[in-house]
Amino acid sequence: MIKQVTVFMENVEGRLALVCRTLAQAGINMHALTIADTQDFGVVRIIVDDPNRALDALTQENFRAQLVDVAAFSIPNRPGGLADLLDALAEAKLNIEYGYCFQTKGESAVDVLKIKGENVARALETLALAGYTTLELSDIVA
Amino acid sequence: MIDRQEHVLTMPHAEIEAVQLEGIKRTLIACYENIPFYKKSFDEAGFDPYAVSSLSNMERAPFTTKQDLRDHAPYGMFARPLSEVAEIHMSSGTTGVATVGGYTQHDIKIWSDCFARSMIYAGATESDVAHICYGYGLFTGGLGAHYGSMAAGCTVIPISAGQTERQIRVLREMGSTILCCTPSYAMHIADTALEMGLDPAKDFHLRAGIHGAEPFSDNFRSELEAKFGYKVLDIYGLTETMGPGVAGECWEQSGLHLAEDHFYAEIIDPETGRVLPDGEWGELVLTSVDRQACPVVRYRTRDITRIIPGVCACGRTHRRIDRLHGRTDDMLVIRGVNVFPSQIEDVMKTFPQVSSWYQIELTNERHLDEVTLKVEIDPEFDFDEISALEGVQRQIASHLKRDLSVKIDVRIVEPKSLPRSEGKAKRVIDLRKGVFND
C-alpha cells in the first residue's frame, strides 16, 4: 500500500495552481495527479515522492488534505493489461472505489487502486494469487 | 352587515387608553391565576397584578421572551382549558419545539377584526376579491388573511402559496383585486408574469396589496407598486401575540396603525429595558388587552421600530409604528419563515463530518430569498469519496428543510485562512437587496 495525497478544492480558479505551486515550493515532485470534480468542488489525488512533507506543506497553506492508503500494482504495458487485473477482482466479487494508471515505460505500467478498507486484504490476496506484484512508493518514485 | 369598525378606529385616544387599562387588568389577573409561569414571574419581580391602576404601572411588570414561550410549549402558556380553544397555530421551532398559540372563538373574532382593518384601510368593499396566497396551515398568514378579508366583506380566494403559474392564471381570470402574500412572493409573481410576456399592471385587476411576514424596504415597495400598478400596504404581526394584524398601514402609507384596543405597545431600550418616549427607536413590546387563550404580558418582539408621534392624516386615532428597522437578535426571515442561526447550528451538530464553522449567505437575485449554508469538512473525516461528500451536503439540506421548513443549499467549502478566535465570527452574510435599507 502507498500513501496518496487527497486534497479538497473549491471549484474556483487558481486553487489547483496553488496546490501545485505549494508542493513545488516545498521541493516536492509529483508523479501522478487526477481530479474528480462536481459542480461545487473537486477532489484532487496526487502521488508524490514525500507524502508526509506534502501533507504538511498543504495544511500550512490552509488546504484540507489527507493521506489515503491506495494499492499500487505493476501491470503489463499492453492492450488488456488493466482489463485482466480488473477481471480478476470482478471474478472474486470485489469492487473498487476508483483507480488510475500512469508511468507506462517499456514493459510495465503502474496501476493505482483505491479499495474499501474491509476488502483490502482479500483484494491483495486475490491479485497476488493472480500473479500481480504490489508496489511500494520507492518502486514508483525511484 | 359588514362591520367597518369606524367608531373604534376614530375613538379619542383617552378612550382607547381606558379600554386598554380595563383589558390589561383582566389580562394580568388571568395570567397570574392560570399560568404558573406568570405567577412565578410576577412574584419574583415583586409585581402585584391586582394593584395596577394606570398604564404606566406596566413599566414594573416583568418581560416575556420567546424562550419563555418555547420552554412552556405546547400548552403551558394557555390561560384557558383546551376545551375552550377553537384553533391552534404554531411558529417553527428548533428541533421540533415550536411556540404554540391558541385562540378561543372570541380570539378568532379579534384576529379577524384586526386583519380586516388592513382591508378597510385599503378601502375594501363587497366588490373586492381577496387573493390569499399566504400559506394556509399552522402558520398564521393564510388563515389570518382569510378571516380578515371575509370579515371585511371581500370574496375570498384561498389559493395559498406556490404554483406561480396557476396564481397568474387565477389573478387574470378571476378578477382578484387585492393581493395578500409576502412581499417577495408578490415580486416573484410579477417577475414570472413579465417573463411570460404579460404586463402585471394591465393584465391583472389588482388595486392593492397587503404584504407582510417579512421586512421590505421602501425601494422594494416602489418596485412592486410600479410593476403591478397598485398600492402596497405593509402589515405587521407575530404568531406569539396573535398573527398578522397587530398593526397595518393605511392608504397614507405613513406608518402602521397599531390595533391599540387589542394591544398595548411599548418601545423599550433593548439593552436596559427602559421604556422610551414616542419617536425614539427601540424594541417593540406588546401586552394583550383582551386575548383569552394565550395572553402575553410585555412580550419582547425583538423588532426595532418607533411610535410615530402625531396624528395620521387619515384621521384614525390609533397610534402608528414605523416600518421595521431590523431586529435586536440574529433572527432571519427567509421567504417569510423565521429562522435562527442557532437552529441551523443544531442541525449541523448532528453531522460529525462537518466542523462547527459555518457561514450563511443570503441573496435575492430574482427577488426570492436564496440561502446557501457553507460548511467545512471536519479534519478527522475521510473525504476521499465524492459520493460521501455530496451525500453530506444533501443530508444536511434535507434535515434543514425538515426542521426549519425552508430550502437551504449546502455547500462544502475550503477552510478559510481567517483566524477563528478573533472576536465574534461573522456567521451571516446578507447580500439581499430591498430588505431594510437601500
Side-chain angles (χ1 to χ4, degrees):
Chain A
M1 301 295 279
I2 65 175
K3 296 278 184 201
Q4 167 196 276
V5 178
T6 299
V7 191
F8 175 90
M9 294 184 314
E10 275 178 56
N11 198 354
V12 157
E13 66 252 349
R15 298 314 287 163
L16 181 60
L18 187 56
V19 166
C20 296
R21 182 60 61 200
T22 304
L23 292 173
Q25 274 171 352
I28 292 165
N29 200 16
M30 302 189 288
H31 295 267
L33 183 149
T34 171
I35 307 178
D37 59 302
T38 73
Q39 201 175 356
D40 297 320
F41 57 80
V43 173
V44 61
R45 293 150 175 152
I46 317 171
I47 305 291
V48 297
D49 50 10
D50 191 336
N52 291 310
R53 263 198 334 112
L55 182 66
D56 285 340
L58 291 166
T59 311
Q60 286 253 330
E61 209 44 53
N62 278 305
F63 283 103
R64 188 65 86 219
Q66 53 187 209
L67 295 182
V68 170
D69 285 325
V70 293
F73 301 94
S74 177
I75 55 174
N77 186 9
R78 56 159 174 77
L82 180 59
D84 290 343
L85 183 149
L86 293 176
D87 278 343
L89 289 174
E91 256 182 61
K93 303 242 188 304
L94 283 160
N95 207 3
I96 61 164
E97 302 285 290
Y98 59 81
Y100 47 95
C101 295
F102 56 100
Q103 252 186 31
T104 54
K105 34 181 182 234
E107 303 264 308
S108 63
V110 176
D111 171 42
V112 166
L113 294 176
K114 171 87 189 287
I115 303 163
K116 234 187 176 81
E118 66 226 28
N119 294 331
V120 167
R122 204 156 68 81
L124 292 177
E125 202 188 296
T126 305
L127 291 175
L129 282 171
Y132 289 98
T133 333
T134 50
L135 298 171
E136 297 307 314
L137 190 61
S138 49
D139 298 323
I140 296 171
V141 307
Chain B
M1 201 37 236
I2 305 300
D3 176 11
R4 304 238 177 272
Q5 304 182 54
E6 270 158 29
H7 170 75
V8 72
L9 292 174
T10 54
M11 269 164 70
H13 209 264
E15 274 182 49
I16 297 176
E17 288 165 41
V19 165
Q20 288 179 325
L21 185 57
E22 282 318 297
I24 283 172
K25 283 181 189 172
R26 282 192 296 269
T27 294
L28 292 171
I29 292 167
C31 287
Y32 189 76
E33 293 181 0
N34 296 292
I35 301 174
F37 162 79
Y38 277 117
K39 180 177 194 315
K40 185 161 180 280
S41 174
F42 291 173
D43 287 345
E44 277 173 11
F47 176 73
D48 184 351
Y50 301 95
V52 167
S53 55
S54 79
L55 289 173
S56 58
N57 292 160
M58 287 305 290
E59 288 179 37
R60 298 192 228 124
F63 294 111
T64 309
T65 66
K66 180 146 175 122
Q67 193 56 46
D68 296 327
L69 300 185
R70 283 198 194 114
D71 289 344
H72 296 90
Y75 298 126
M77 299 295 271
F78 279 51
R80 295 286 177 108
L82 210 52
S83 54
E84 288 178 37
V85 175
E87 191 165 304
I88 298 262
H89 284 277
M90 290 185 210
S91 59
S92 64
T94 326
T95 58
V97 179
T99 54
V100 178
Y103 305 73
T104 59
Q105 290 284 7
H106 162 87
D107 296 336
I108 295 284
K109 172 87 177 38
I110 297 172
W111 188 14
S112 172
D113 284 347
C114 285
F115 192 101
R117 290 177 192 185
S118 281
M119 303 305 274
I120 291 164
Y121 300 154
T125 66
E126 292 88 335
S127 312
D128 277 296
V129 178
H131 188 105
I132 318 283
C133 51
Y134 283 110
Y136 277 70
L138 286 172
F139 289 126
T140 52
L143 280 164
H146 186 101
Y147 294 141
S149 303
M150 203 168 275
C154 305
T155 304
V156 174
I157 301 181
I159 189 168
S160 197
Q163 296 187 68
T164 308
E165 286 182 17
R166 186 177 74 155
Q167 303 280 355
I168 290 170
R169 249 196 341 270
V170 170
L171 283 165
R172 288 189 78 185
E173 294 170 17
M174 306 205 39
S176 313
T177 58
I178 301 180
L179 180 62
C180 299
C181 60
T182 64
S184 55
Y185 195 52
M187 190 68 84
H188 182 67
I189 291 174
D191 289 343
T192 306
L194 287 164
E195 273 167 31
M196 286 163 69
L198 296 169
D199 181 354
K202 297 203 178 74
D203 296 315
F204 299 155
H205 316 270
L206 296 170
R207 59 177 198 77
I210 312 289
H211 301 310
E214 58 191 19
F216 58 110
S217 66
D218 290 336
N219 278 355
F220 196 89
R221 185 224 290 275
S222 302
E223 199 181 325
L224 270 177
E225 291 185 328
K227 281 179 176 164
F228 280 112
Y230 71 171
K231 197 138 174 165
V232 167
L233 301 185
D234 194 356
I235 184 169
Y236 172 75
L238 57 166
T239 302
E240 293 84 343
T241 63
M242 179 185 78
V246 171
E249 243 182 353
C250 68
W251 208 250
E252 299 294 324
Q253 293 176 317
S254 62
L256 292 81
H257 291 275
L258 288 157
E260 289 201 275
D261 47 335
H262 301 298
F263 299 97
Y264 176 63
E266 298 166 279
I267 302 289
I268 63 163
D269 177 333
E271 303 293 315
T272 64
R274 188 175 68 91
V275 175
L276 299 171
D278 288 359
E280 275 190 44
W281 293 92
E283 182 181 344
L284 179 64
V285 166
L286 296 168
T287 300
S288 310
V289 171
D290 56 357
R291 194 175 181 197
Q292 292 180 337
C294 295
V296 288
V297 174
R298 299 194 97 202
Y299 180 76
R300 294 190 64 156
T301 65
R302 301 285 180 215
D303 288 313
I304 298 171
T305 182
R306 64 181 185 128
I307 302 287
I308 298 177
V311 181
C312 184
C314 76
R316 299 184 183 98
T317 52
H318 293 239
R319 291 177 315 158
R320 297 156 294 161
I321 50 171
D322 212 326
R323 305 193 67 231
L324 299 189
H325 247 228
R327 304 243 340 149
T328 66
D329 62 9
D330 59 359
M331 188 182 92
L332 303 164
V333 184
I334 301 172
R335 298 196 190 197
V337 177
N338 296 345
V339 174
F340 287 89
S342 60
Q343 292 175 285
I344 295 179
E345 279 171 43
D346 285 342
V347 169
M348 282 176 60
K349 278 192 195 119
T350 66
F351 288 89
Q353 303 94 321
V354 298
S355 72
S356 57
W357 181 91
Y358 69 92
Q359 242 183 20
I360 300 165
E361 197 180 86
L362 298 148
T363 54
N364 59 359
E365 298 275 319
R366 291 170 49 84
H367 291 122
L368 275 184
D369 293 340
E370 304 282 345
V371 196
T372 304
L373 173 67
K374 295 181 181 174
V375 298
E376 271 176 15
I377 314 165
D378 189 275
E380 304 303 306
F381 176 59
D382 176 359
F383 60 85
D384 191 48
E385 211 183 298
I386 295 270
S387 55
L389 289 167
E390 289 188 307
V392 166
Q393 286 185 159
R394 258 198 319 270
Q395 277 168 51
I396 296 177
S398 149
H399 282 224
L400 288 171
K401 182 84 180 35
R402 182 194 69 192
D403 291 351
L404 274 52
S405 307
V406 72
K407 175 174 162 287
I408 296 179
D409 284 327
V410 179
R411 198 156 10 121
I412 302 177
V413 298
E414 293 186 49
K416 300 308 170 201
S417 51
L418 294 169
R420 306 307 169 81
S421 53
E422 278 184 20
K424 200 166 175 214
K426 197 158 161 61
R427 294 296 194 202
V428 180
I429 313 286
D430 194 340
L431 303 167
R432 293 178 293 181
K433 298 226 156 52
V435 179
F436 287 115
N437 305 310
D438 89 276

